Each structure stands twice: as structure tokens, then as C-alpha cells.
């Protein structure tokens, strides 16, 4: 479904500040895999997502999504196939537009028979309401509310809905609950799990929360210094302690992430 081969990315290539941020990444993702990704700060996790989504281009290697070579495809073309959420809840939606307008943009993007300026029909509106209702955040009667007035959690849930309202080929979640308070983070994480499993979405989720890394999805990747150092597809009996032990065994060091959350919630 997603096949990444020999992917390399440098920053400041051929300068004194040259760093290799992705070092020969190879990864095969199966359809409907829900993979959690953990690693130290600066391991290259977000850079990997940037290369997959097209916000930056890899220096060498290839990224094949559903038999399409997207390695050098423009970001806006990839965004029709790839949904993405960021740590910052303000990043995924337009504050001065209403909930309905935001949803319409996301919805029409995936519909080749209409364009972004097409009229929103009453049946679209009913569909949006139904989808909002599933979030359980009391937003289904607020289609005309400006998105900038929503709370961080509501806004992140809306971004999640926008990213999945047309089922994407791939969903990239980059610590999307890290900026939320624990209760809201749980709500958004439960919603995520629900939407991803129900729609069998192929999903990669970077998380600083080791409990989430273990609890959600079917496979865990660990990254360190631009490499995938561990790929666990059997999570049976995995605990935080043995995850940390395995990380140490593979890298010779402790997992070093300033946002890491070990506590259960
Ligand atoms: N645009 C850039 N220019 C130069 N260096 C960059 C750029 N973006 C990222 N880096 C560097 O690349 C390395 C990997 O960064 P990246 O953001 O991918 O790490 P990460 O694993 O997502 O870390 P974190 O857990 O802190 O989010 C870091 O050393 C970072 O400073
Ligand atoms: Mg990051």
C-alpha cells in the first residue's frame, strides 16, 4: 500500500551544517495498518511525514503510494490522497471560515466531479451534520459557527473529520493530541481510533505517549537518528518497560524525548 525504499534526506547539504535526517529508510505499510511511531527528539519522525506528504522533498529513494510514485509529486496533489494532522490544533482548519465551509472544502477536495467552489447542497449539509454528530462534541447544530471560536479539542476533532471525511489512502498523525489536556487528548484519541478502525484507514501516528503507542494500532516503529531501529508487528505482552529496554538494546541509549509520557491515563 505504501512502500518507502532507500529514502534519504539531508538538511544543509554540502555545507558545514550538513545533517543526514533520514538515513536509508525502508518501510512497507500494508493496507489498513495502523502504525504508531516513537523516537527521541530530532529522530526524523516529522521529516519522514514531510517527505511522505510532500512538504519537503527527499534527496534520494522512493515513496510509492498505492502503486503511484509520489516521491516528487506536488504537495497539493498528494493532499487529495493523504490526510494529515499536526500537534498544533490551529494548523488543520481555517479560523475565519465556518465549520460548514471548512468541511465543504475538505469534502469537495476528494470529489472529482465538483470543484472547491461548487455550491454546498442540502444533502451535503445533512451529511456534515451526521458526521459532526458522530464526534459527540455538540457541534452538529453549529455549522455556521466560525472555526476560530472552537476549543483546541473541538478544533482538532474537526481537523480529524476534515482529514477523513473522504477516506484518505493514508492518514498521517503527528502528535496530534500532544497539545491537548489529558481528558481532551483521550476524547480525540478515542475518536481517532474509532474513525481509523471503522473505515479501515491506513494510518501512521507519531506519538510521545508510550501507552498510546502500545494501545492503538497493530504495529510499532521506533526511530532514532534518521533510521527505523525497530519494527514490531506483534504487540502481544508489550509493556512500556520492555519497549524502553528494546530501544536501549537497539540504540545503546535511552529514549530521549522531552514530551514523552509514561504514565497511563
Ligand atoms: N527545515 C529544516 N532545516 C534544517 N534542519 C531541520 C529542518 N527540519 C528539521 N530539521 C532537523 O532535522 C532533525 C529531525 O527533525 P524532526 O522534526 O524530523 O524530528 P522529530 O523526530 O519529529 O522530533 P520531535 O520528537 O522533537 O518532534 C532535527 O535535528 C531537526 O533539527
Ligand atoms: Mg516531530
Amino acid at each position: 500500500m505504501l512502500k518507502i525504499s532507500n529514502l534519504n534526506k539531508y538538511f544543509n547539504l554540502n555545507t558545514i551544517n550538513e545533517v543526514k535526517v533520514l538515513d536509508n529508510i525502508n518501510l512497507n505499510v500494508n493496507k489498513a495498518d495502523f502504525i504508531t511511531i516513537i523516537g527521541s527528539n530530532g529522530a526524523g519522525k516529522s521529516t519522514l511525514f514531510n517527505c511522505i506528504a510532500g512538504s519537503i522533498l527527499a534527496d534520494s529513494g522512493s515513496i510509492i503510494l498505492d502503486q503511484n510514485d509520489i516521491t516528487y509529486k506536488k504537495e497539493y496533489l498528494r493532499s487529495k490522497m493523504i490526510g494529515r494532522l499536526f500537534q498544533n490544533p490551529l494548523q488543520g482548519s481555517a479560523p475565519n471560515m465556518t465549520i460548514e465551509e471548512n468541511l465543504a472544502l475538505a469534502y469537495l477536495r476528494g470529489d472529482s466531479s465538483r470543484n472547491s467552489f461548487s455550491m454546498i447542497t442540502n444533502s451535503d449539509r445533512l451529511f456534515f451534520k451526521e458526521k459532526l454528530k458522530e464526534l459527540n462534541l455538540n457541534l452538529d447544530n453549529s455549522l455556521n459557527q466560525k472555526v476560530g471560536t472552537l476549543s483546541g479539542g473541538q478544533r482538532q476533532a474537526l481537523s480529524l473529520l476534515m482529514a477523513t471525511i473522504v477516506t484518505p489512502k493514508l492518514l498521517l498523525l503527528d502528535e496530534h493530541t500532544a497539545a491537548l489536556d489529558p481528558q481532551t487528548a483521550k476524547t480525540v484519541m478515542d475518536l481517532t481510533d474509532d474513525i481509523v478502525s471503522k473505515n479501515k484507514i491506513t494510518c501512521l501516528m507519531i506519538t510521545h505517549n508510550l501507552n498510546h503507542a502500545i494501545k492503538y494500532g497493530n504495529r510499532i516503529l521506533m526511530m532514532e537518528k534518521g533510521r527505523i531501529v525497530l519494527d514490531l508487528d506483534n504487540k502481544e505482552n508489550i509493556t512500556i518497560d520492555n519497549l524502553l529496554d528494546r530501544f536501549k538494546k537497539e540504540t545503546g541509549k535511552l529514549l530521549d524525548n522531552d514530551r514523552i509520557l509514561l504514565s497511563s491515563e
Side-chain angles (χ1 to χ4, degrees):
M1 150 54 109
L2 174 70
K3 187 174 165 63
I4 298 178
S5 308
N6 306 318
L7 200 73
N8 290 294
K9 176 69 195 175
Y10 294 83
F11 282 117
N12 310 313
L13 192 60
N14 301 324
T15 74
I16 190 170
N17 295 321
E18 178 176 309
V19 271
K20 193 169 196 183
V21 191
L22 295 180
D23 186 0
N24 206 42
I25 297 280
N26 284 287
L27 176 66
N28 255 318
V29 178
N30 299 313
K31 205 167 166 43
D33 260 351
F34 181 177
I35 301 178
T36 57
I37 304 176
I38 58 175
S40 303
N41 293 120
K45 305 179 295 294
S46 298
T47 303
L48 177 62
F49 277 16
N50 283 333
C51 287
I52 298 173
S55 334
I56 60 173
L57 295 180
D59 291 312
S60 59
S62 67
I63 307 171
I64 312 287
L65 179 62
D66 222 6
Q67 271 121 49
N68 260 312
D69 187 340
I70 60 165
T71 321
Y72 300 108
K73 226 185 178 78
K74 293 212 160 55
E75 185 174 21
Y76 79 93
L77 292 173
R78 299 191 210 192
S79 74
K80 291 183 195 294
M81 305 180 267
I82 301 174
R84 192 173 184 191
L85 260 73
F86 299 88
Q87 188 179 335
N88 184 351
L90 307 185
Q91 223 170 327
S93 48
N96 293 321
M97 289 166 69
T98 64
I99 293 180
E100 176 176 296
E101 288 163 344
N102 272 275
L103 284 173
L105 273 181
Y107 186 52
L108 295 173
R109 191 182 54 208
D111 184 344
S112 51
S113 65
R114 297 159 76 185
N115 65 43
S116 311
F117 305 104
S118 299
M119 291 290 283
I120 302 164
T121 64
N122 275 336
S123 81
D124 293 339
R125 232 166 247 129
L126 279 175
F127 176 65
F128 296 162
K129 273 189 150 193
E130 215 172 277
K131 287 283 167 193
L132 286 166
K133 209 171 202 159
E134 288 170 17
L135 299 182
N136 266 328
L137 290 171
N138 285 329
L139 290 176
D140 39 313
N141 287 318
S142 312
L143 278 176
N144 295 319
Q145 190 173 337
K146 287 257 165 66
V147 164
T149 64
L150 299 179
S151 70
Q154 285 175 324
R155 201 145 163 196
Q156 202 63 319
L158 180 69
S159 297
L160 180 64
L161 182 52
M162 289 170 67
T164 55
I165 195 156
V166 177
T167 301
K169 285 190 196 297
L170 181 67
L171 180 63
L172 301 175
L173 306 172
D174 192 345
E175 304 204 41
H176 72 304
T177 64
L180 306 174
D181 67 78
Q183 189 51 44
T184 314
K186 184 176 183 319
T187 309
V188 173
M189 198 50 238
D190 286 345
L191 267 174
T192 305
D193 192 36
D194 195 45
I195 291 175
V196 168
S197 337
K198 232 189 242 158
N199 300 292
K200 299 194 175 52
I201 296 174
T202 310
C203 177
L204 304 182
M205 178 174 86
I206 299 170
T207 179
H208 61 289
N209 184 321
L210 295 188
N211 281 298
H212 287 181
I214 295 169
K215 180 171 172 194
Y216 299 104
N218 60 310
R219 189 170 157 194
I220 305 177
L221 294 184
M222 285 186 188
M223 283 186 70
E224 176 67 13
K225 293 206 173 106
R227 293 169 163 266
I228 295 174
V229 292
L230 196 67
D231 184 347
L232 278 177
D233 60 6
N234 180 356
K235 300 206 305 183
E236 231 173 279
N237 302 323
I238 288 284
T239 62
I240 287 181
D241 282 344
N242 57 47
L243 258 192
L244 292 173
D245 281 351
R246 295 190 73 156
F247 186 87
K248 180 140 188 284
K249 205 164 133 229
E250 295 300 328
T251 64
K253 53 175 275 204
L254 298 174
L255 182 61
D256 177 19
N257 186 315
D258 58 10
R259 293 191 294 280
I260 209 86
L261 268 190
L262 302 171
S263 62
S264 56
E265 41 71 306

